[in-house]
Each structure stands twice: as structure tokens, then as C-alpha cells.
Amino acid sequence: MNVSELVRAELARHDWTALTCACLDSAEHLPLVFETLLTAESPQDARGYALSGHVEYSGIIAECTGPAIGVILAALAGEVSPAVRSEFLETLACAAYGSGYDTAPPAARANDEFRAMVREGFWLLMQAGLTGSAQDAEAVADLCEYYDLGDQKSAYYLLLLRERVRAKSKRRVARR
């Protein structure tokens, strides 16, 4: 896979060295993490590179979380491997439940910012949830529920996602 121009633009839009990472260092290493994940041809190629512990850590968000969500949404607009898509969706779900460091914006303000980003990326998330694994569908459904998008469109797609989770889970059990 390649890093799309959209992802490159979103990475370039932020001063990562000025942002605090959840690992408590500067977030200057995050562009390399994103590029490695997006270009890895196998899970072994990405070994040691993950967003967990950087974009969020055990439900704690950092200054870099918002910009990283933008990069994730930009990446989901293109082609990503199933493993990376799952990691991105899981990261979004963990960030949704997160609370901030003292140096990060207050959690309520961050939640409003993230909710707006999820609304903007609604169709990208639905595409990932409706075409990905049961875990992907569940992560996207959880995002919709957590952010309580509250309109008829999101309620309809939330039902589709939950049905996809049930159907895929039944198939998985039947195969055993």
C-alpha cells in the first residue's frame, strides 16, 4: 500500500513536534508510525509500530489525538489493509472514551471536536463498518452510539452496523 496524497497533506498540516504524545514525548514520531502502518505489506513489516500508546493510552488522550484522528479519516478515504483499518477504527473508539491530560484540552471540548470529526467522516466510517469485519462494524457502531449523532440517518446506519455484527458473529460461531 501507499501513503495517499490526502494523508500526506493531513500529516503536513500539523506541527507534530509541538504536540504532546500519549507516550509523554513529542508527537514528532507519529508521521513515521502512520507511514509505516500504511505501507506495511505484512504484519511483520509493521511490528513495533502502533497507534495505541501514542494517540491514546489506556483511554487517556493527548494533544496529538485530534490531529491523529484527522489522519485516520484521511487514510480511510483511500485503500488501507484490513489490519490497519481495524487498528484505525479501534483507535477512534478508544479516543472517543478518552479523557485528557492536564496539558491536553479539557475532555468535554475534545469530545465536541471529535464528534465534529466523526460527523465529517461519517461516510468513510460507514464504508469501513459495512465492508469490514464484525469488529470493524462494532467499532463504528460504538462510535455512532458514543457520540450520539442522533439523527435518522445515523440511527438507520447504526441498525445496519449492529445487524452486520450479529450476522457475522453467527457465521463465525457456525463455522466452529
Side-chain angles (χ1 to χ4, degrees), residues 1-36:
M1 302 271 168
N2 292 324
V3 178
S4 72
E5 288 304 312
L6 182 59
V7 170
R8 288 189 191 286
E10 189 62 17
L11 285 168
R13 194 168 76 86
H14 303 285
D15 180 5
W16 296 95
T17 59
L19 299 172
T20 303
C21 181
C23 71
L24 302 179
D25 282 333
S26 156
E28 68 184 321
H29 57 280
L30 276 182
L32 176 63
V33 172
F34 276 111
E35 289 184 26
T36 301

Side-chain angles (χ1 to χ4, degrees), residues 35-85:
E35 289 184 26
T36 301
L37 290 171
L38 290 167
T39 59
E41 293 183 19
S42 71
Q44 292 77 18
D45 294 341
R47 186 169 291 151
Y49 292 88
L51 295 177
S52 179
H54 299 285
V55 174
E56 58 77 32
Y57 178 74
S58 296
I60 298 172
I61 57 172
E63 286 179 315
C64 69
T65 304
I69 289 173
V71 174
I72 289 169
L73 292 172
L76 290 174
E79 191 175 331
V80 297
S81 72
V84 170
R85 177 180 52 214

Side-chain angles (χ1 to χ4, degrees), residues 51-145:
L51 295 177
S52 179
H54 299 285
V55 174
E56 58 77 32
Y57 178 74
S58 296
I60 298 172
I61 57 172
E63 286 179 315
C64 69
T65 304
I69 289 173
V71 174
I72 289 169
L73 292 172
L76 290 174
E79 191 175 331
V80 297
S81 72
V84 170
R85 177 180 52 214
S86 292
E87 177 164 353
F88 285 175
L89 294 174
E90 184 65 29
T91 299
L92 290 174
C94 289
Y97 296 111
S99 60
Y101 283 121
D102 291 337
T103 59
R109 195 173 110 223
N111 262 340
D112 289 343
E113 176 189 345
F114 299 166
R115 178 180 289 109
M117 295 172 91
V118 166
R119 280 189 193 279
E120 289 172 14
F122 182 82
W123 294 116
L124 300 173
L125 294 169
M126 289 307 117
Q127 175 71 16
L130 292 173
T131 61
S133 68
Q135 272 185 291
D136 294 347
E138 188 166 27
V140 173
D142 288 348
L143 280 170
C144 288
E145 281 185 343

